[in-house]
Amino acid sequence: MKILFHSFLASMLKESFFLLSFYNTYYYVKNKKKFWKEINRRKAMSIFEYKELVKPIPFCPIETIRDSNFYGQAYALKQYAGVDKFDWSIEHGLYVDDYVPMAARCKTTERIMTFSDIRVKGLESVHKPVVSIGPYIHYAECMVNHEEMNLLKRELGRTLLFFPTHTSCEGGLEYKVHSMIDELLKFKNQHGFDTVIVNMYYLDEYKKGFGDLYAKAGFKVTTAGHQLDINFLNRLKTIISLADYTCSNSIGTHTGYCIYLNKPHLIINPAQTLDEVEPLWHDLWKAFESNSPQAQIQQQILSHKYWGFDCVKSKEEMRSLLLNNK
């Protein structure tokens, strides 16, 4: 019943500017102090304090569109462009088809930002302004300075970064953690890595405690944080920047981010067989299940295509987009 009510409320808010404004004002006033206190507390934490970083954060709608308050994307774009307003909707996941989520058709979603030109074409049916801006990670800033980054890299040595597939969210894939740990230990030893970092999705740690299993295996556990943390994308860029090599057991947004940041990426112990993967995703899975020279070329081609590497905006271009309401 509670889930149904929240779903109903969300749909109402997406269709009414008045209700959305009332809702945002109420939660902004109610949670503003607690929100900023928590954001500043977490900003000062080490990226390895994963148990604290995944804890809930009071909802404080800085951005008008509810979904644009997630994952620190709007915050990073505003900081990059040097503006304090943001009234776009941002697509959070990677799409390789012309699927249109309900939120894109809603009345309060007036304009949409996404990764690539091919996705812009896939959203033509919404008949709204849609713009490609490339991989969002470009616009984020590392949360440590150059000297601190070098110190961390010296401490960690040659580092492998692993992104487990999300299990505790819509469309999440289940996988066997202990089997994954065995594969990571094998991969680490075969390729001579000093450290393995596991980047946990906040719900998988908060609800399932998966991070502890990886920590007990001798891995360093981190997280980009809770979805309401405005430093989520900045922290993610910091984590990826630490790595020498990256891997996952599925394709996700992180895949293209790693390639964009010049970190090799490989799928190991995949959470799905190719037969279980939707046909439109086959090219991506095939490309990233191999590290051959030919596969690496294909990885670059597909990353440019779906993450829009050639769609990145300059600071001036992004500022113009964010200040133009038309």
Side-chain angles (χ1 to χ4, degrees):
M1 183 66 71
K2 188 176 180 181
I3 294 175
L4 288 174
F5 172 75
H6 282 293
S7 178
F8 172 75
L9 178 60
S11 63
M12 291 291 289
L13 292 173
K14 291 178 184 296
E15 294 297 340
S16 170
F17 288 103
F18 173 77
L19 287 177
L20 182 62
S21 177
F22 179 82
Y23 178 87
N24 284 345
T25 301
Y26 171 78
Y27 279 101
Y28 183 81
V29 172
K30 179 177 183 288
N31 292 331
K32 181 181 177 181
K33 281 188 177 181
K34 292 178 183 178
F35 175 81
W36 283 109
K37 181 179 180 181
E38 195 58 31
I39 292 300
N40 291 328
R41 185 178 79 90
R42 298 184 191 207
K43 186 177 181 180
M45 288 181 182
S46 162
I47 60 171
F48 299 112
E49 293 184 61
Y50 65 97
K51 287 186 175 295
E52 287 295 311
L53 290 170
V54 301
K55 288 181 177 178
I57 293 176
F59 179 58
C60 178
I62 300 170
E63 315 304 339
T64 301
I65 306 300
R66 178 181 172 84
D67 293 359
S68 294
N69 288 283
F70 298 160
Y71 302 114
Q73 294 160 347
Y75 177 74
L77 290 168
K78 289 192 300 184
Q79 292 293 105
Y80 176 83
V83 302
D84 59 5
K85 62 173 292 184
F86 190 92
D87 54 10
W88 289 74
S89 176
I90 313 175
E91 286 207 313
H92 298 305
L94 174 69
Y95 298 94
V96 298
D97 54 16
D98 57 1
Y99 170 73
V100 179
M102 182 194 73
R105 298 191 186 277
C106 291
K107 186 177 180 180
T108 55
T109 298
E110 297 183 286
R111 52 192 71 83
I112 303 169
M113 286 184 173
T114 190
F115 286 137
S116 65
D117 288 339
I118 193 170
R119 182 56 182 161
V120 171
K121 188 175 181 180
L123 289 170
E124 284 180 346
S125 64
V126 301
H127 303 296
K128 298 176 182 181
V130 182
V131 64
S132 56
I133 64 170
Y136 310 150
I137 203 78
H138 170 83
Y139 306 99
E141 293 184 359
C142 284
M143 297 184 70
V144 297
N145 60 36
H146 184 70
E147 184 178 335
E148 292 169 326
M149 178 65 72
N150 286 337
L151 179 61
L152 274 171
K153 285 186 173 183
R154 285 198 296 271
E155 291 175 354
L156 295 169
R158 189 163 180 262
T159 299
L160 173 68
L161 172 62
F162 172 61
F163 290 88
T165 186
H166 301 176
T167 67
S168 298
C169 59
E170 184 180 351
L173 299 172
E174 295 298 327
Y175 69 98
K176 295 179 180 178
V177 176
H178 292 291
S179 173
M180 194 67 246
I181 287 171
D182 290 342
E183 286 296 319
L184 283 170
L185 287 170
K186 180 180 176 182
F187 195 84
K188 175 192 175 186
N189 293 331
Q190 284 180 339
H191 298 278
F193 291 103
D194 300 303
T195 303
V196 175
I197 298 177
V198 179
N199 182 67
M200 294 302 304
Y201 184 60
Y202 77 103
L203 286 177
D204 282 336
E205 172 53 32
Y206 187 69
K207 290 187 175 183
K208 298 190 175 184
F210 283 175
D212 289 346
L213 298 176
Y214 287 108
K216 287 177 183 177
F219 304 149
K220 299 278 286 182
V221 181
T222 186
T223 178
H226 190 276
Q227 71 169 354
L228 293 177
D229 193 330
I230 62 173
N231 287 303
F232 185 102
L233 196 63
N234 292 337
R235 194 175 288 110
L236 181 58
K237 188 168 190 174
T238 306
I239 293 166
I240 296 174
S241 297
L242 279 172
D244 294 288
Y245 200 96
T246 67
C247 63
S248 181
N249 56 343
S250 67
I251 293 290
T253 306
H254 60 272
T255 310
Y257 285 177
C258 291
I259 299 301
Y260 185 76
L261 294 177
N262 296 313
K263 307 295 181 178
H265 193 81
L266 186 68
I267 293 179
I268 62 173
N269 195 30
Q272 292 176 288
T273 66
L274 197 60
D275 289 339
E276 296 171 319
V277 175
E278 290 289 332
L280 285 171
W281 291 82
H282 281 187
D283 286 349
L284 278 166
W285 280 77
K286 288 178 182 177
F288 283 97
E289 282 187 317
S290 171
N291 60 1
S292 69
Q294 294 84 357
Q296 290 175 23
I297 292 172
Q298 189 67 3
Q299 289 169 12
Q300 286 287 337
I301 292 171
L302 292 173
S303 295
H304 276 76
K305 177 180 179 180
Y306 291 117
W307 280 267
F309 285 11
D310 58 347
C311 300
V312 168
K313 300 293 184 282
S314 68
K315 291 186 177 184
E316 293 74 19
E317 288 171 329
M318 184 58 67
R319 181 179 177 84
S320 177
L321 274 174
L322 298 188
L323 293 180
N324 185 358
N325 290 323
K326 297 179 180 180

